[in-house]
Amino acid sequence: MKALKINGLSKSYSNSEVLNGVTLSVDQGEMYALMGPNGSGKSTLASIIACTNTPTSGTVEVFGFDVVKEAKKVKKIIGYVPQEKFLHPLLTGEENLLYFIRLLGTPKQEALRMTVELLEKMDLLKDAKKRVSKYSGGMRKKLEVATALLPGVKLLILDEPTTGLDPSTRKKFLTKLEEIRKEGVTIFYVTHIGEDAEIASKVGIIDEGKIIIEERPEILKKKTGLFNIINIETSIRNESVDRALKNTITDGKLLKTNNGYKFFCKEPDEIIDVMIRNLGNIGCRTTRIETTVPSLEDVYFKLTEKNLRRC
Ligand code: ADP
Ligand code: MG
């Protein structure tokens, strides 16, 4: 059975269509990352799965239960961490967690026991008595996940879980998510940060309200034919610079990024010298040039010709 099955899901607000026939599926035990830039409808999708929003058309099933017709059953097996902050800053970590557990009608002693267990699982036991206003970004995120990891939860839905975390905290947090997955919880998360999706077992890419591809990260990179990438920044950016760079390239496409240009190729070393020379001939300096191996952000860019992180 699929943990999540979405078929032809569309959602419009007033007259604007945000989701336009999303179809995707997530196997049990998977860590699925849905990747797309801001405004691409990720939060809308997450909130529909979490039964806090409704589809205009199409179906969404969580472990076989329909999110509209069987919302009560779905709510029992999902944990949802929305994009917006929802913890109470003046309560301690323990009090926040206890509050969410008690909301379910759990008797006090049992709720206390569950609180301790969850705090321990998320490495927050020693900070349990601190007010959340004193928590770091990473601690807050872990506490938010704890509120969603109540007993019986089989699918965890996380909306932009690493926003605001520094790179090392982000890594630790993602490792924590992997641990949760290993314990048997299926994870579906949405992100506009390519690095977040690198650890996913499967990545879905959303563009223009549709999933354009879903694959394992390494396969996705191969499928898009990405070998090496040349990133270039130049002292000037205009049409003659575009032309000079294009003239260097015999195959493939030159793409404009927020800061410069990007070119996907097999043999970067052969091209770099010619590129710098061509630019020099029109009085343009190369301020930065580097080759990298493809990231998922590059995959997104290659497939959609859009920046994942919009400026
Ligand atoms: P993402 O999470 O990918 O940034 P969202 O789902 O938040 O995307 O938003 C997608 C689009 O839908 C945006 O243009 C946003 O302004 C619009 N939108 C989101 N929620 C609402 C709402 N409740 N009412 C009207 N428009 C909305
Ligand atoms: Mg969002």
Side-chain angles (χ1 to χ4, degrees):
M1 174 176 300
K2 296 278 180 193
L4 178 63
K5 200 158 175 249
I6 302 182
N7 202 2
L9 174 67
S10 294
K11 176 71 185 180
S12 301
Y13 294 114
S14 312
N15 286 328
S16 74
E17 191 165 56
V18 177
L19 302 174
N20 175 23
V22 168
T23 295
L24 66 82
S25 69
V26 179
D27 288 328
Q28 189 165 5
E30 196 121 58
M31 181 136 166
Y32 188 109
L34 178 73
M35 203 165 73
N38 288 331
S40 57
K42 303 182 301 300
S43 294
T44 299
L45 182 65
S47 62
I48 292 173
I49 303 167
C51 308
T52 62
N53 200 343
T54 49
T56 307
S57 62
T59 57
V60 179
E61 283 175 15
V62 177
F63 286 93
F65 298 124
D66 185 284
V67 295
V68 177
K69 295 181 201 135
E70 297 165 291
K72 258 192 177 167
K73 285 182 181 157
V74 173
K75 283 180 191 168
K76 284 198 177 131
I77 53 170
I78 56 159
Y80 173 43
V81 179
Q83 195 167 2
E84 309 81 40
K85 285 183 180 168
F86 62 87
L87 298 172
H88 200 299
L90 297 182
L91 297 182
T92 65
E94 186 180 44
E95 286 163 347
N96 264 286
L97 200 44
L98 197 55
Y99 167 74
F100 284 102
I101 296 172
R102 292 279 277 158
L103 271 185
L104 300 174
T106 318
K108 192 160 183 198
Q109 286 311 314
E110 197 186 336
L112 279 167
R113 190 183 48 75
M114 278 162 59
T115 301
V116 172
E117 253 176 47
L118 281 166
L119 287 167
E120 194 168 16
K121 186 191 275 260
M122 298 311 287
D123 309 319
L124 287 171
L125 211 45
K126 67 177 187 333
D127 303 299
K129 308 278 183 210
K130 272 189 202 156
R131 281 186 177 182
V132 163
S133 56
K134 300 268 188 290
Y135 272 28
S136 66
M139 284 155 68
R140 266 173 203 251
K141 249 322 142 198
K142 286 196 288 184
L143 188 61
E144 286 181 3
V145 171
T147 68
L149 263 188
L150 304 178
V153 165
K154 292 161 84 176
L155 175 69
L156 190 58
I157 305 150
L158 308 171
D159 191 343
E160 302 275 4
T162 69
T163 302
L165 303 186
D166 62 66
S168 84
T169 311
R170 169 185 298 150
K171 263 199 180 146
K172 282 189 206 139
F173 177 76
L174 292 172
T175 308
K176 195 75 203 164
L177 291 187
E178 283 184 308
E179 278 174 40
I180 294 170
R181 177 199 170 198
K182 280 186 194 136
E183 285 172 16
V185 179
T186 307
I187 301 180
F188 176 87
Y189 63 113
V190 308
T191 182
H192 73 288
I193 301 168
E195 290 99 305
D196 283 3
E198 300 279 352
I199 60 147
S201 57
K202 203 167 172 194
V203 176
I205 289 187
I206 188 165
D207 186 39
E208 311 277 337
K210 281 194 175 68
I211 305 296
I212 54 169
I213 194 165
E214 30 173 15
E215 256 312 342
R216 295 215 316 268
E218 61 280 13
I219 308 269
L220 202 50
K221 289 173 187 173
K222 280 193 191 135
K223 264 196 176 168
T224 39
L226 294 183
F227 302 97
N228 286 293
I229 295 155
I230 305 176
N231 294 296
I232 313 154
E233 286 174 31
T234 50
S235 58
I236 36 176
R237 294 180 75 187
N238 57 27
E239 277 180 18
S240 47
V241 174
D242 296 356
R243 223 175 303 122
L245 286 171
K246 273 185 190 145
N247 287 343
T248 319
I249 299 162
T250 48
D251 65 311
K253 229 176 184 177
L254 185 77
L255 297 169
K256 284 190 187 183
T257 64
N258 290 332
N259 312 317
Y261 300 87
K262 200 181 263 289
F263 176 61
F264 303 95
C265 63
K266 275 189 189 164
E267 307 287 349
D269 297 344
E270 290 172 10
I271 298 169
I272 283 175
D273 287 347
V274 189
M275 271 186 172
I276 296 174
R277 204 169 335 118
N278 282 2
L279 289 172
N281 287 345
I282 57 159
C284 173
R285 268 184 306 111
T286 305
T287 50
R288 201 169 77 94
I289 190 158
E290 61 166 18
T291 59
T292 54
V293 290
S295 66
L296 284 174
E297 206 153 329
D298 295 315
V299 169
Y300 186 86
F301 196 70
K302 175 87 191 290
L303 288 172
T304 65
E305 295 192 16
K306 290 178 196 139
N307 285 302
L308 193 51
R309 294 189 214 203
R310 286 182 186 154
C311 284

